[in-house]
Amino acid sequence: MNDEAIRPFTSDGCSLFPNGTPKQSELWLTCCTAHDYAYWQGGTYQQKVNADESLKQCVAEVGQPKIANLMLAGVIVGGSPYLPTPFRWGYGWSYLRGYKALTENELKQIRLLQ
């Protein structure tokens, strides 16, 4: 099989959004890092929906349900795999991968980088 190689995982925290509050500057950073890991891998549209919902739930669980809703709206709009951003869905792969299930070989590559 001739699958593409995934780039090593990187995270920019909460991308264009603060990582926390002024008093707790990294309050939801772990939520964003986990979300970035899912986005780096990419996959199907349903996997993106699940990743976005997990981000919302995580931020709500640290006591910020209003921020969680705002972040969800942001990632729904800004996380499209069709935008040429460094934080798009599937950013570990080449641009314009879109929504595509990961192959066994691609999953193996991801496991090797963990």
Side-chain angles (χ1 to χ4, degrees):
M1 188 165 274
N2 196 11
D3 290 321
E4 175 186 0
I6 193 168
R7 291 182 292 280
F9 173 68
T10 59
S11 174
D12 63 358
C14 297
S15 300
L16 302 175
F17 199 85
N19 294 329
T21 66
K23 288 186 179 181
Q24 294 177 283
S25 64
E26 295 185 351
L27 181 59
W28 50 77
L29 177 59
T30 57
C31 302
C32 294
T33 303
H35 187 252
D36 282 356
Y37 190 74
Y39 264 53
W40 166 72
Q41 293 178 65
T44 66
Y45 176 75
Q46 187 58 53
Q47 287 173 305
K48 180 187 182 302
V49 169
N50 295 346
D52 293 346
E53 285 295 327
S54 292
L55 173 67
K56 176 187 173 190
Q57 181 179 349
C58 184
V59 175
E61 287 173 358
V62 298
Q64 298 295 325
K66 291 180 182 176
I67 295 293
N69 286 326
L70 182 61
M71 291 175 83
L72 177 62
V75 296
I76 288 171
V77 173
S80 168
Y82 305 111
L83 296 175
T85 62
F87 47 81
R88 72 184 179 279
W89 179 250
Y91 69 84
W93 309 100
S94 295
Y95 178 56
L96 287 179
R97 178 184 173 89
Y99 297 109
K100 181 172 135 182
L102 297 165
T103 67
E104 283 302 316
N105 185 47
E106 290 168 339
L107 290 168
K108 182 179 177 183
Q109 288 183 57
I110 290 165
R111 284 191 298 271
L112 289 172
L113 291 174
Q114 290 179 335

